[in-house]
Amino acid sequence: MISQDELRVKISELVSYACDKISLNAANKIYVTNQLLDFFSLTYPAPIPDKFNGDFQQDLITPLVEYAIESGMTTAEEALLFETKLLGKVTPTPAEVIEQFDIIASNKGCDCATDWFFNLSKANNYIRMLDINRNIKWSHTGKFGDIDITINLSKPEKDPKQIAAAKLLPKTGYPACLLCPDNVGFAGNLNHPARQTLRTIPIELDGEAWELQYSPYQYYTEHVIAFSCEHRPMKVDENAFRRLMDFVEIFPHYFIGSNAALPIVGGSILTHDHYQGGAKVLPMMTRGIRKYYKCKQYPKVKIGISDWYNSVVHIEGKQREDVYNMACRVLGAWSRWSDESVGVICKTDEQHNAITPICRYDNGNYIFDLILRNNRTDEAHPFGIFHPDVSMHNIKKEGIGIIEVMGLFILPGRLKTELEEVKKYLTGENTLNLQTIYNPEDSMSKHADMIVQLVNDFGNGNTVSQADKIVTDYVNHTCEKILECTAVFKNSEEGSAAFDKFMTEGLNLL
């Protein structure tokens, strides 16, 4: 444990870091220093250096958190809660952040303002880049373009002690969900992450109060979230299209989109109306148009089918109202469209057709990519007719939402160790025993079919590098197949004809 004198130095260095990197106002330096002294039960500080030059996490935060654990201020299980509480004390207040954002936006533009806000969100560890940089990433060139693949190691997993402790906590229902405005400054607990370092920016979309923040997990570059100030369910309707277009007018350097508002084809949070966007050009955006169509009512709007794995209607034009009206036409027509020849039934006793919309603004053009989705299940496909087959669930079982359908796969962190075990069967380090590998009690049983297939195809005498390529290729091709599963109109002669029928008869296009 560091000494009291070392603790004073660390506190002063934290204040210096906050002034330099987190935009802590110099006028608040003494106030914040005194708050930290009280927090750590100290009576006087060390001199505050002009600049902190060490490694923020290793030289500053880790020693302070370790001191807190060893001195009984917190526990190892609640270390992240303590860290967030500590950094919340040196982060400018919500009002100060909003004021500074508005000043930068007014003087330098919204792109500079979001750069500043993004860097602040990283500097105060709301976005934990140390964890995010652990993610395993690679790209695969497939038949319809590149696919980006990430094994996500940044989202914290609770250990058994944390899970047991969390069960004992009372359920308050506050905040109602992870996207509610009430999260700003929330202390958190083992059931709900601490949010003292969260800051949000108010924006207006279609006359409504919304907020802007960054995703703490940053699945792609500047992964931004816009969320309604009202806790209400996700809904993709004509109002949503207006909000998306408003957003890209305010932030033309970002794309913005929405998950479909139905289970299976929607996102992980359907209880709060929100959109996701960012600066990254995702693979689907780079694809051309497979076939163009014309609309008599909107002759200047480009309409086409994107050359992509799943079923995407591309709409582009300079006249906002024309693009908006065409997008609404697609939404209305798709909500009523059925084609049993390809398994598309829009509604039974519940709605099944939905749309995942993505909006951009580029060189004066409003662009919508409307991904057609359907969440119907049947006896043969209990997880969804247009959802990955059970044979792919060892790689990805979760819902395929907006990020994946655009070509960026966020695979579960468990795969890091599980795929290493799969490779050992290909090198002979692990002996293939069918009785063992198919035992449901075996942690690798979910990969049994994959292991048997790969050993049959490639044997068990491969080098480590050969095994690595074999397993990576398997994951790559599985991700391609998952995208193909989500296509309501398959990339086949039959599927193309059905898609064309929707475009010409459903949308009345030429």
Side-chain angles (χ1 to χ4, degrees):
M1 183 167 66
I2 59 176
S3 68
Q4 294 270 300
D5 286 340
E6 290 172 318
L7 178 61
R8 291 186 181 92
V9 170
K10 296 298 179 188
I11 288 172
S12 295
E13 289 176 337
L14 178 58
V15 174
S16 176
Y17 173 88
C19 290
D20 184 34
K21 300 294 186 182
I22 315 181
S23 297
L24 178 66
N25 193 309
N28 291 327
K29 187 185 297 186
I30 294 174
Y31 171 80
V32 170
T33 300
N34 286 330
Q35 292 292 304
L36 291 173
L37 291 176
D38 179 60
F39 187 54
F40 282 98
S41 300
L42 297 174
T43 54
Y44 64 92
I48 298 174
D50 293 333
K51 195 175 182 66
F52 172 69
N53 294 313
D55 181 270
F56 171 60
Q57 192 70 41
Q58 181 177 328
D59 300 331
L60 197 52
I61 298 306
T62 297
L64 287 171
V65 173
E66 288 178 348
Y67 174 88
I69 293 171
E70 293 172 17
S71 64
M73 293 177 68
T74 190
T75 64
E77 292 76 30
E78 297 185 342
L80 185 56
L81 292 172
F82 177 87
E83 176 190 307
T84 308
K85 183 176 184 179
L86 173 62
L87 289 172
K89 292 181 178 297
V90 298
T91 299
T93 66
E96 290 172 324
V97 170
I98 293 167
E99 180 182 19
Q100 186 63 23
F101 183 94
D102 288 344
I103 290 171
I104 297 173
S106 296
N107 294 328
K108 298 181 179 180
C110 278
D111 55 341
C112 292
T114 54
D115 283 347
W116 171 81
F117 185 40
F118 181 59
N119 287 327
L120 182 149
S121 299
K122 290 188 293 183
N124 74 351
N125 263 7
Y126 178 71
I127 299 172
R128 293 179 58 83
M129 293 306 299
L130 184 71
D131 294 335
I132 291 166
N133 289 336
R134 294 169 50 230
N135 291 342
I136 301 169
K137 301 179 180 180
W138 72 92
S139 291
H140 164 64
T141 299
K143 67 183 79 170
F144 296 113
D146 290 345
I147 296 174
D148 295 333
I149 299 171
T150 298
I151 294 179
N152 179 35
L153 303 175
S154 61
K155 197 166 185 177
E157 295 183 11
K158 294 180 181 179
D159 64 29
K161 286 185 178 180
Q162 289 175 313
I163 293 171
K167 287 182 179 179
L168 301 176
L169 294 175
K171 303 294 190 295
T172 65
Y174 177 86
C177 76
L178 291 170
L179 291 176
C180 282
D182 299 332
N183 281 281
V184 176
F186 185 65
N189 52 57
L190 293 176
N191 278 323
H192 194 107
R195 289 292 185 254
Q196 290 102 326
T197 52
L198 168 64
R199 299 294 181 263
T200 63
I201 303 297
I203 57 176
E204 183 178 299
L205 300 179
D206 193 31
E208 288 188 346
W210 283 60
E211 299 274 342
L212 179 81
Q213 71 169 80
Y214 287 100
S215 166
Y217 306 119
Q218 285 300 295
Y219 293 140
Y220 49 82
T221 308
E222 294 183 53
H223 183 179
V224 72
I225 298 173
F227 60 95
S228 171
C229 290
E230 177 187 355
H231 181 70
R232 66 190 189 204
M234 286 279 296
K235 190 174 185 180
V236 177
D237 58 8
E238 296 179 354
N239 297 327
F241 288 170
R242 284 197 296 269
R243 294 188 205 108
L244 296 178
M245 298 181 92
D246 283 355
F247 184 95
V248 296
E249 287 180 353
I250 302 169
F251 305 105
H253 55 296
Y254 284 160
F255 78 87
I256 193 71
S258 172
N259 269 301
L262 296 178
I264 299 176
V265 296
S268 57
I269 301 178
L270 295 178
T271 55
H272 198 113
D273 212 0
H274 71 285
Y275 310 133
Q276 298 184 65
K280 182 177 175 62
V281 177
L282 292 174
M284 187 194 74
M285 300 176 188
T286 67
R287 302 299 296 170
I289 302 302
R290 189 175 297 168
K291 183 177 180 179
Y292 279 105
Y293 296 83
K294 293 181 179 180
C295 178
K296 288 182 179 179
Q297 290 92 330
Y298 313 113
K300 293 184 178 180
V301 176
K302 294 181 180 178
I303 308 160
I305 294 173
S306 297
D307 189 27
W308 185 238
Y309 292 92
N310 42 52
S311 307
V312 186
V313 178
H314 179 89
I315 303 169
E316 180 175 349
K318 294 187 180 299
Q319 300 299 318
R320 171 174 167 144
E321 280 306 301
D322 288 355
V323 173
Y324 166 76
N325 287 331
M326 191 64 232
C328 291
R329 179 185 289 198
V330 175
L331 177 67
W334 180 243
S335 69
R336 301 183 297 270
W337 186 260
S338 292
D339 187 342
E340 295 192 32
S341 70
V342 289
V344 173
I345 297 176
C346 65
K347 189 174 182 179
T348 52
D349 26 340
E350 60 182 337
Q351 182 69 27
H352 295 300
N353 281 4
I355 280 181
T356 298
I358 297 95
C359 187
R360 291 175 281 155
Y361 187 73
D362 185 31
N363 292 323
N365 285 305
Y366 294 92
I367 301 170
F368 267 112
D369 289 305
L370 304 179
I371 307 176
L372 309 180
R373 313 295 304 274
N374 180 287
N375 78 340
R376 191 167 65 88
T377 62
D378 61 17
E379 190 173 336
H381 306 88
F383 295 97
I385 295 171
F386 302 101
H387 184 74
D389 183 74
V390 173
S391 64
M392 306 172 205
H393 287 185
N394 63 315
I395 303 300
K396 179 78 174 181
K397 181 179 180 179
E398 300 82 3
I400 308 301
I402 182 174
I403 299 174
E404 276 87 6
V405 290
M406 297 177 73
L408 171 56
F409 275 82
I410 312 300
L411 301 181
R414 61 176 172 79
L415 288 178
K416 180 179 185 291
T417 54
E418 292 175 0
L419 294 181
E420 289 300 319
E421 287 300 309
V422 173
K423 294 172 190 176
K424 292 177 182 178
Y425 288 95
L426 293 164
T427 62
E429 184 176 346
N430 285 350
T431 301
L432 180 59
N433 182 314
L434 296 181
Q435 185 174 357
T436 301
I437 199 68
Y438 278 104
N439 184 346
E441 300 298 319
D442 191 300
S443 62
M444 291 295 289
S445 62
K446 67 175 75 70
H447 297 294
D449 288 345
M450 171 186 178
I451 293 168
V452 171
Q453 177 189 329
L454 293 181
V455 171
N456 284 340
D457 291 347
F458 299 98
N460 60 358
N462 299 280
T463 65
V464 172
S465 61
Q466 287 171 333
D468 183 72
K469 183 179 185 306
I470 291 166
V471 171
T472 300
D473 285 347
Y474 183 94
V475 173
N476 292 341
H477 294 139
T478 299
C479 289
E480 278 197 86
K481 287 192 291 184
I482 287 173
L483 282 178
E484 290 168 350
C485 285
T486 67
V488 292
F489 301 118
K490 306 303 182 189
N491 289 305
S492 62
E493 186 175 337
E494 180 187 30
S496 296
F499 204 165
D500 184 71
K501 182 180 179 182
F502 170 69
M503 299 295 283
T504 56
E505 297 182 18
L507 297 178
N508 194 28
L509 303 179
L510 302 174

